[in-house]
Amino acid sequence: MKKIVIVNAGPRKGFNTDTLLRDAEEALKEEGNEVRYFDLYRLEAYTGCVSCFGCKKEKFKGTCIKKDGLAPVLEAIQEADGLIVGSPNYFSDLTAAFRAFYERLLFPYLTYNAEHPSCNERSIPVLLLMTSNAPKGMYASRLEEYRNAFSRFVGPTTLYHCDDTMQLRDYSKTDWPWTYFDPEHKKLRHEEVFPKQREEFKALSKKIFG
Ligand SMILES: Cc1cc2nc3c(=O)[nH]c(=O)nc-3n(C[C@H](O)[C@H](O)[C@H](O)COP(=O)(O)O)c2cc1C
């Protein structure tokens, strides 16, 4: 039995990011793992790193000392055997909620010591999911930067990009024509490709954490 933490950095329940993460949660629970699911948008208020340097003191080394809505998430990760993080793409990056979480998770491990740049002694596998309107390949370099940073400070990181998602349930009901998108293409994509992406993501989660 492994302890897995899932962090949802998207605001919409039941949409793309949440659906994929919930699938992974269910699959990992079925295999007997203990899974904790955190919805960043439904926590008590929290901020990104405030640069207090508490985590750079010997007695707190590697631990963020800020006590706000994010503290229970960071505590759970410190005891976890694996981490899954999912976020929609917002303006070519991950969400603001993700960024605050990312700063608070990684900065405590950064020592600024050239010989030992990270003080994390518990490397755990990470699966990072991004969903986006844009097709595969887009944002590859941004995702690669995240993969490198997570791998350096948290543990070996695998990426999954769920691309060309359906952003609205019904594109015909917009107040003005959303001509960026072909509603038929999005509908087909959601009905035929998204189920395959869900299966792929579930299989990947089981392979990494199961
Ligand atoms: C504020 C905002 C900014 C977005 N920016 C982008 C973007 O730059 N590129 C992109 O491909 N999709 C962008 N999207 C679309 C979402 O990434 C995409 O629909 C995603 O799958 C939504 O995830 P969800 O269904 O879990 O909410 C944006 C959506 C919002 C609300």
Side-chain angles (χ1 to χ4, degrees):
M1 199 261 315
K2 289 183 191 154
K3 289 185 181 176
I4 312 295
V5 169
I6 299 182
V7 175
N8 178 13
R12 300 197 297 172
K13 264 187 194 284
F15 270 86
N16 300 285
T17 314
D18 185 42
T19 300
L20 290 153
L21 294 175
R22 289 290 179 192
D23 284 345
E25 178 189 30
E26 196 186 309
L28 293 171
K29 277 186 174 165
E30 267 168 25
E31 295 201 333
N33 299 293
E34 186 187 305
V35 186
R36 293 189 66 188
Y37 193 103
F38 293 97
D39 247 322
L40 294 187
Y41 282 85
R42 285 162 190 86
L43 297 176
E44 296 292 313
Y46 70 89
T47 70
C49 175
V50 291
S51 199
C52 70
F53 294 105
C55 61
K56 306 291 171 252
K57 296 205 183 335
E58 187 60 41
K59 69 173 177 174
F60 298 124
K61 213 168 164 186
T63 309
C64 176
I65 63 163
K66 195 170 187 315
K67 293 297 167 222
D68 61 10
L70 201 58
V73 184
L74 300 175
E75 277 162 29
I77 293 171
Q78 286 209 328
E79 291 177 2
D81 303 305
L83 172 65
I84 304 180
V85 187
S87 171
N89 182 298
Y90 279 7
F91 294 112
S92 308
D93 206 323
L94 303 180
T95 60
F98 168 86
R99 285 293 308 188
F101 160 75
Y102 174 73
E103 292 171 6
R104 297 272 299 279
L105 176 66
L106 266 64
F107 192 66
Y109 296 134
L110 175 65
T111 59
Y112 289 120
N113 176 282
E115 285 75 35
H116 302 285
S118 168
C119 65
N120 185 10
E121 282 159 11
R122 281 190 74 251
S123 167
I124 56 169
V126 179
L127 174 57
L128 178 63
L129 159 74
M130 179 182 76
T131 69
S132 74
N133 274 335
K136 267 216 169 21
M138 198 129 169
Y139 314 123
S141 59
R142 189 75 196 93
L143 280 175
E144 200 49 36
E145 282 168 10
Y146 281 125
R147 197 182 67 74
N148 286 335
F150 272 104
S151 296
R152 253 180 100 197
F153 291 106
V154 186
T157 301
T158 306
L159 303 171
Y160 188 84
H161 181 181
C162 177
D163 66 322
D164 201 355
T165 57
M166 194 176 76
Q167 193 171 10
L168 290 182
R169 299 233 188 271
D170 188 347
Y171 285 79
S172 71
K173 292 200 174 127
T174 54
D175 283 355
W176 56 88
W178 286 25
T179 49
Y180 278 5
F181 307 108
D182 171 359
E184 267 314 298
H185 165 80
K186 284 290 183 186
K187 188 166 172 283
L188 266 180
R189 180 96 195 154
H190 190 69
E191 286 169 1
E192 291 174 10
V193 181
F194 189 58
K196 291 184 191 142
Q197 293 171 320
R198 289 177 67 176
E199 285 309 314
E200 258 174 27
F201 188 70
K202 215 188 314 184
L204 193 57
S205 303
K206 288 207 275 193
K207 187 170 154 212
I208 299 171
F209 307 103

